Amino acid sequence: MTVSTGARVAAVYDRVASVYDLYTRPMEAMGGTRARRRLFSRARGRVLELGIGTGANVPFYPPDVELVGVDISGRMLQRARRRALRGRDVALQRADIEHLPYGDASFDTVTAACVFCSVDDPVQGLREARRVTRPGGFVLLYEHVRPTNPLLARLADATSPWTRRTFGPELNRRTEENVAAAGMTVVEARRRGIWRELVVAP
């Protein structure tokens, strides 16, 4: 029987869930935490976090938002649940970002951090983000993208199959282009090396 891509992604993140926060700590120390706090503090109303993972972003949301989080990995959600219980009420659900179990225009803000590097079909995932965002709402994305340096770009292309199998992410995603392909518009962008903080209008 063929294993679906979603099942493979879930298996990778189930495997690394216990050490995920540990191996992402260096990039957090180099500005990741500051960037996510800056971006996700802008969330308003009913908020959906795509790929909530271990719940690392939960403390960065304003206290008055209604927060819903989805992830394809059950073990990542277990860790997110423990983190949420220490601070705030979060509705957590296991779901595939490419096929969200919510109606059209269900959320005021949709967020994601380092998620669209792992989704099998990022354009489809972004279309779903667009679909569930209400008119006048925003999608907030913190993502890494394919390097602009040609040598580093080729290195990212060469190593992405390995990083996807081992840790989950691909290093050569073109997220800003994918946002446009999904029918959305980047209205604000902060660019730092391979990192992007994007405010997207659906």
Side-chain angles (χ1 to χ4, degrees):
M1 183 177 67
T2 302
V3 178
S4 71
T5 303
R8 289 196 295 270
V9 172
V12 169
Y13 283 98
D14 280 346
R15 187 179 70 244
V16 303
S18 63
V19 296
Y20 184 82
D21 289 334
L22 181 63
Y23 81 69
T24 59
R25 192 172 295 166
M27 69 179 180
E28 295 306 313
M30 291 187 291
T33 296
R34 185 166 57 251
R36 292 184 293 107
R37 180 181 290 113
R38 180 169 52 232
L39 187 63
F40 296 145
S41 66
R42 301 176 63 171
R44 296 292 182 268
R46 190 170 190 237
V47 179
L48 173 66
E49 181 172 344
L50 304 174
I52 196 169
T54 63
N57 296 318
V58 169
F60 305 143
Y61 291 103
D64 59 342
V65 304
E66 177 189 350
L67 184 57
V68 178
V70 298
D71 203 281
I72 201 168
S73 164
R75 290 188 180 175
M76 295 286 269
L77 283 173
Q78 288 174 2
R79 298 183 73 83
R81 188 167 288 109
R82 287 198 292 272
R83 180 175 259 134
L85 287 174
R86 295 198 298 267
R88 65 186 302 163
D89 183 34
V90 185
L92 297 171
Q93 182 172 357
R94 188 172 183 181
D96 184 343
I97 291 168
E98 295 178 42
H99 307 283
L100 291 170
Y102 306 108
D104 296 354
S106 296
F107 297 91
D108 300 291
T109 313
V110 175
T111 69
C114 301
V115 168
F116 287 97
C117 55
S118 303
V119 177
D120 181 47
D121 186 341
V123 174
Q124 172 58 24
L126 288 162
R127 288 190 185 113
E128 281 290 272
R130 178 189 182 194
R131 179 183 66 79
V132 301
T133 304
R134 290 171 180 155
F138 288 97
V139 178
L140 306 176
L141 304 176
Y142 178 62
E143 298 285 337
H144 57 82
V145 298
R146 187 176 188 264
T148 55
N149 177 284
L151 179 61
L152 294 178
R154 288 195 293 272
L155 181 62
D157 292 341
T159 56
S160 282
W162 177 79
T163 59
R164 182 170 179 80
R165 289 193 305 271
T166 308
F167 301 111
E170 293 188 17
L171 305 180
N172 60 350
R173 289 285 169 91
R174 296 170 169 86
T175 299
E176 289 184 81
E177 291 89 335
N178 290 339
V179 165
M184 296 190 288
T185 303
V186 174
V187 294
E188 292 182 39
R190 182 187 288 258
R191 300 177 176 91
R192 178 176 58 87
I194 63 170
W195 295 98
R196 300 291 184 270
E197 296 169 53
L198 305 175
V199 180
V200 177

